[in-house]
Amino acid sequence: MQPGGTLESRITDADLAIIGGGVGAVAAALAALRQGLRVVLTEEGDRIGGQFTSQGVPPDEHRWIEQFGCTASYRRYRDAVRDYYRTWYPLTVSARNEPHLNPGLGRVGALCHEPRVSGAVLRAMVDPYLSGGRLRILLRARPVAAETDGDRVSSVTVDRADGGLVHIVSPYYLDATELGDLLPLAGVEHVTGFESRHETGEPSAPEVPQPGNMQAFSWVFAVDHREGENHVIDRPANYDHWRAYRPDYWPGPQIGLTAPDPRTRKPLTRTFTPNVPSGPVLADQSQDPGDRELWEFRRAVAREQYEPGFVTSDVTLVNWPMIDYVEGPLIGVSEEDKARHLAGARELSESMLYWLQTEAPRPDGGRGWPGLRLRPDAMDTTDGFAAAPYVRESRRIRAEYTVVEQDVSLAVRGGAGATPYDDTVGIGMYRIDLHPSTGGDNYIDVPSCPFQIPLGALLPVRVRNLLPAGKNIGSTHITNGCYRLHPVEWNIGEAAASLVAYCLGEKVEPHDVRRKEGHLRAFQGKLKADGVELAWPEIRGY
């Protein structure tokens, strides 16, 4: 115990320290543990899983996800979610026998489900290693300091909610935090916000860098609808402000059903009808992005999937353009401003809920759906709001290779497909999907090609033993829009941890693996043997 009463402890027997507990962190831990490493994982919140769990965002994926385009371990996670429902839920016969079961029949993706279920599945996946003693998870542990020795990180300190400090000494560290919080602590060269067109050559980049201009973040919540009941929440204190709030590029008040279409930027009025029967999902998502009817868009529980009478209402997750908070970023601001922005995002979402309950237009000509009820159980929180905000953009390392728009843009690449990388460590696919930003920019939505993940984007330009394991790789503000999605973040985390295992086994450093042909091919061979796809099959019509 230090003077002043602070309780301190040290962890010195881990082969890998994963700081942050998001999607990439879980994938990284599983990969390292499968290969025999001892792992310590820290997480600032009260659960692992990031977007899947604490942020309330089931997977956003590409159209080929059921056939190819993800790692074997990510597919095991998806299969486990479906098996959880088949094992424990009274599904209809047709739902139970559907090989590609979509529990919520949501239109945003093929596996819309309750965040609580993802939490249960991810914990089940790591539990054997906890029991075996090779994995330690420190929850409510925030990184506050890092010691370095030249180009190496020698220790990382986390502050626990009980006031204790834990100093972690490990040969390797992964930054799997949502905001890239370990990068500045360890002095890792990094970038935030928009790079300039002069630096990157990207068609969608601004003329000058805008480091404080970052994508909106959102506070997700879960609701069902109880016809004839009144579940209206207390009117938010600043409801009048948010009810009238209108960014310059928005077609009307942000709280409403009319918002810019991400792809055309033209006004698009959605509908919102609780428990609306499921409509058909078009195969061509470019013509049917799925958000015309907001109730269906991110629905996590669909009544029709269950035996009659078991579920009286669907449950939908509200993660819509209308709750994107653009008043300020969470990075590069004071702790006071960060707290203010977090509170503002939360109140914007509360105001959206209140508006839906009291003012939203109904098909019968009335106003408001007072029967909308928050669902804490689905979100695994006390109030039905996500445990943490949904973060789209992180600090990003200055990397040996930075992925730019020209590498993946369909308009730039055309029929050539995305840039092939000799050092590929995985693949991904999503449109370059940038939400409105804190600098006043509207959507930037650019069609992209199926792409690879270059090892060079995981290697800091200087630091030798710290790797990114999420949205903090060497992408730009623009390409973050397609490299930030769930299967890609999982693949990044898995590749980073596998690289650590390879380096420990072969007694080489990560940068040498990329630079030396023999090591690169051997490492890629190990990834393939572990079920990591390194290249896309030939695809037409994307």
Side-chain angles (χ1 to χ4, degrees), residues 111-130:
L111 193 61
C112 293
H113 64 281
E114 301 152 273
R116 175 180 52 78
V117 171
S118 258
V121 166
L122 293 176
R123 282 305 299 255
M125 293 177 78
V126 302
D127 272 349
Y129 302 104
L130 288 168

Side-chain angles (χ1 to χ4, degrees), residues 203-505:
S204 300
E207 291 298 327
V208 297
Q210 300 173 7
N213 191 359
M214 304 175 207
Q215 282 197 75
F217 65 97
S218 308
W219 216 301
V220 181
F221 57 93
V223 291
D224 68 4
H225 183 255
R226 312 282 289 187
E227 187 63 46
E229 298 180 8
N230 188 333
H231 296 279
V232 177
I233 64 171
D234 293 338
R235 181 186 176 97
N238 292 310
Y239 178 71
D240 290 340
H241 164 76
W242 292 115
R243 181 66 182 89
Y245 184 77
R246 179 182 180 180
D248 292 341
Y249 48 82
W250 217 264
Q254 184 169 335
I255 289 183
L257 297 181
T258 302
D261 183 303
R263 300 178 185 182
T264 67
R265 301 188 185 182
K266 295 179 180 179
L268 173 63
T269 299
R270 281 82 165 179
T271 57
F272 177 77
T273 313
N275 291 315
V276 63
S278 297
V281 178
L282 300 182
D284 185 356
Q285 290 294 301
S286 67
Q287 301 300 317
D288 178 27
D291 65 350
R292 298 302 194 268
E293 170 51 60
L294 292 170
W295 183 264
E296 291 182 285
F297 184 40
R298 292 185 181 273
R299 182 172 49 193
V301 175
R303 293 173 299 165
E304 61 200 85
Q305 299 277 62
Y306 298 92
E307 293 177 357
F310 182 75
V311 175
T312 57
S313 172
D314 299 341
V315 177
T316 198
L317 301 173
V318 177
N319 177 17
W320 310 334
M322 301 78 171
I323 65 166
D324 283 356
Y325 180 85
V326 297
E327 282 292 274
L330 299 175
I331 298 171
V333 297
S334 67
E335 287 299 315
E336 291 77 13
D337 282 344
K338 182 178 179 180
R340 177 169 59 84
H341 294 320
L342 288 169
R346 171 67 180 242
E347 191 170 52
L348 171 60
S349 291
E350 292 170 347
S351 296
M352 185 70 207
L353 172 58
Y354 185 79
W355 180 84
L356 290 169
Q357 292 174 320
T358 60
E359 297 189 54
R362 300 173 59 112
D364 61 9
R367 291 281 174 177
W369 302 90
L372 285 176
R373 180 181 64 163
L374 286 164
R375 285 292 298 266
D377 57 307
M379 211 46 105
D380 194 21
T381 59
T382 59
D383 55 14
F385 285 84
Y390 171 32
V391 174
R392 297 182 176 89
E393 186 167 348
S394 169
R395 299 174 179 89
R396 303 179 300 280
I397 64 166
R398 293 281 187 187
E400 286 208 339
Y401 185 87
T402 299
V403 180
V404 295
E405 183 179 357
Q406 302 92 297
D407 287 351
V408 298
S409 167
L410 182 60
V412 175
R413 300 289 302 171
T419 299
Y421 303 116
D422 185 61
D423 63 343
T424 174
V425 293
I427 60 176
M429 172 58 188
Y430 208 76
R431 293 174 68 91
I432 296 176
D433 173 20
L434 295 166
H435 281 237
S437 67
T438 58
D441 293 277
N442 201 338
Y443 284 96
I444 298 175
D445 192 285
V446 178
S448 65
C449 308
F451 52 82
Q452 295 174 336
I453 304 167
L455 176 57
L458 275 63
L459 300 175
V461 292
R462 181 183 57 83
V463 175
R464 319 307 292 175
N465 68 331
L466 184 151
L467 302 172
K471 298 183 287 290
N472 50 354
I473 65 168
S475 63
T476 64
H477 173 85
I478 302 294
T479 56
N480 167 71
C482 60
Y483 275 77
R484 65 181 174 84
L485 277 300
H486 303 69
V488 185
E489 183 177 344
W490 185 286
N491 194 151
I492 291 166
E494 184 168 350
S498 296
L499 180 60
V500 169
Y502 181 87
C503 290
L504 289 171

